[in-house]
Amino acid sequence: MPAEIKIGTHNGVFHCDEVLACYMLKTLPEYKNASIIRSRDPDVLKTCDIVVDVGGEYDPTKHRYDHHMREFNETASSVINKEGYNWTIRLSSAGLIYCHFGHRIIKQIIPEVTDENDIEEIFKKVYDTLIQEIDALDNGVPMFDAEPLYRIHTHLGARVKGLNPPWNKKNMDVEEQFRKAMALVGEEFNEFITYAAQVWLPAKNLVKEALLNRFEVDPSGEIMELKQPCPWTEHMFALEKELKIDPIIKYVIFQDNSYRIQAVPLEMGSFVCRIFLPEEWAGLRDEELSKVSGIEGGIFVHAARFIGGNKTRDGALQMARKALKIGKI
């Protein structure tokens, strides 16, 4: 029997880019029946035929598609290297897989389209309207030089709009489509109510407790520790005002697979932080990060400097304290 084909990606919290990357790969015949192996263990990843979003390596000749390395600066334009491609957004694993396999994927999904020029136009349109957004969000790229006036949370309006009959489907039942739209918004509304009661409110209580105990974490009062990871930014901003927190929080630490340190953004949805992690740590991993930071147990600092990781709570706390000191110089 032929050996089982394996697609490798990281375990723990999953993100849109690697989920979409895995989905796209499984549309292709060679990966259709592949198993998804979720691990950060290098020995496990070595057994995989293709690896996305983990492993610290980008080498398409070996089917290794990570984008988290300090030196990684690939864009759709640089990977495809074709005249007329002017994209500047740094790729995520979704963008990498799309750039390397996208034309074939499109042909698998819509085999009735055979004209190569049409395939190319579809490829560019889908990158512009879907993949680029995922790349930018995963890499922490600001949408504007200034902060936007509002933020998109659900894309519900676009999904409802998409249920309207298209221009070339004159016989589609408009009333039936309207009923579908009502069912869509009704389900989402009910989910929002349930989410608020069962997820949002418990998270608020965790964040409030962490804020009240902040001086037990660090004498500065500018580092907050969550007992468990949860959505915290919205609650922290509201509670800072409600509790008149002064000084405001600069870093949040919590335990996920490892211990994480996250820089607090200026406001909800912003990629601009109150104090970024130090520039000299950006994109570093493991021993190199520990050496440069002077703190043992370093795992990573994202190239955009909004999040990092350490093997221990003490290491994460030391990173927060040192980053705070450097950021105030």
Side-chain angles (χ1 to χ4, degrees):
M1 292 182 63
E4 180 186 36
I5 301 297
K6 298 177 182 178
I7 300 171
T9 192
H10 64 78
N11 58 2
V13 175
F14 54 81
H15 311 101
C16 187
D17 69 316
E18 80 269 10
V19 173
L20 180 56
C22 291
Y23 172 81
M24 288 190 289
L25 286 172
K26 285 179 71 68
T27 66
L28 297 170
E30 63 266 41
Y31 297 113
K32 180 179 179 180
N33 298 315
S35 297
I36 306 295
I37 307 299
R38 299 184 68 230
S39 176
R40 295 181 187 273
D41 186 333
D43 291 332
V44 173
L45 295 174
K46 284 178 184 177
T47 69
C48 296
D49 299 272
I50 187 166
V51 176
V52 298
D53 209 46
V54 69
E57 184 178 13
Y58 168 53
D59 186 348
T61 66
K62 296 163 59 179
H63 286 320
R64 293 310 188 250
Y65 298 96
D66 198 6
H67 68 105
H68 293 101
M69 301 76 72
R70 182 186 181 97
E71 67 277 10
F72 182 91
N73 288 302
E74 299 291 346
T75 66
S77 298
S78 66
V79 169
I80 298 171
N81 193 24
K82 184 182 292 186
E83 187 177 349
Y85 280 58
N86 300 309
W87 293 301
T88 60
I89 299 294
R90 189 170 176 264
L91 295 173
S92 69
S93 61
L96 277 173
I97 295 302
Y98 189 73
C99 287
H100 284 282
F101 299 93
H103 292 78
R104 287 183 57 212
I105 290 167
I106 291 167
K107 291 175 183 179
Q108 288 293 318
I109 294 172
I110 46 171
E112 64 274 16
V113 178
T114 57
D115 186 279
E116 292 296 330
N117 291 326
D118 289 344
I119 295 293
E120 179 70 6
E121 290 304 307
I122 293 166
F123 176 91
K124 291 190 287 187
K125 179 65 173 176
V126 171
Y127 186 81
D128 274 332
T129 56
L130 175 63
I131 308 297
Q132 185 171 222
E133 173 187 333
I134 295 168
D135 287 346
L137 289 173
D138 194 72
N139 283 300
V141 178
M143 191 178 293
F144 308 109
D145 291 333
E147 295 303 318
L149 297 176
Y150 69 94
R151 305 183 190 284
I152 297 170
H153 294 283
T154 69
H155 292 283
L156 186 59
R159 284 181 280 146
V160 170
K161 182 180 179 181
L163 287 171
N164 283 280
W167 68 270
N168 56 348
K169 294 286 179 78
K170 304 293 186 183
N171 296 326
M172 184 175 284
D173 187 340
V174 179
E175 297 307 314
E176 175 61 21
Q177 294 303 106
F178 183 82
R179 286 190 286 272
K180 288 180 181 179
M182 282 210 308
L184 172 67
V185 298
E187 181 180 10
E188 184 126 353
F189 179 74
N190 289 342
E191 287 178 356
F192 265 65
I193 297 294
T194 303
Y195 179 89
Q198 298 181 359
V199 180
W200 181 86
L201 191 56
K204 180 179 180 180
N205 292 334
L206 277 173
V207 175
K208 184 174 183 178
E209 181 182 5
L211 278 171
L212 293 175
N213 294 331
R214 66 195 185 281
F215 286 105
E216 296 177 17
V217 176
D218 186 74
S220 70
E222 296 175 80
I223 301 170
M224 181 178 82
E225 180 179 12
L226 292 168
K227 286 187 175 179
Q228 63 186 88
C230 69
W232 55 267
T233 48
E234 175 189 355
H235 298 305
M236 194 206 70
F237 289 126
L239 287 165
E240 279 185 330
K241 294 178 181 178
E242 179 185 325
L243 301 174
K244 296 180 172 56
I245 300 298
D246 186 27
I248 55 177
I249 303 298
K250 307 306 189 301
Y251 298 108
V252 177
I253 62 172
F254 55 90
Q255 185 179 13
D256 195 0
N257 289 322
S258 59
Y259 285 86
R260 300 296 174 90
I261 167 178
Q262 188 161 348
V264 175
L266 287 178
E267 58 183 270
M268 280 292 296
S270 175
F271 289 116
V272 181
C273 297
R274 289 173 174 174
I275 301 181
F276 282 102
L277 292 171
E279 171 66 32
E280 56 267 31
W281 299 359
L284 300 183
R285 304 183 68 86
D286 305 324
E287 292 182 7
E288 187 179 5
L289 173 59
S290 296
K291 181 179 178 180
V292 171
S293 68
I295 300 166
E296 289 299 316
I299 297 176
F300 78 99
V301 168
H302 196 286
R305 298 191 289 139
F306 67 93
I307 193 168
N310 195 282
K311 294 177 181 177
T312 68
R313 175 190 179 276
D314 183 61
L317 183 55
Q318 285 188 56
M319 288 175 71
R321 287 171 173 167
K322 192 163 189 176
L324 189 63
K325 182 178 180 180
I326 293 171
K328 289 184 174 182
I329 293 175

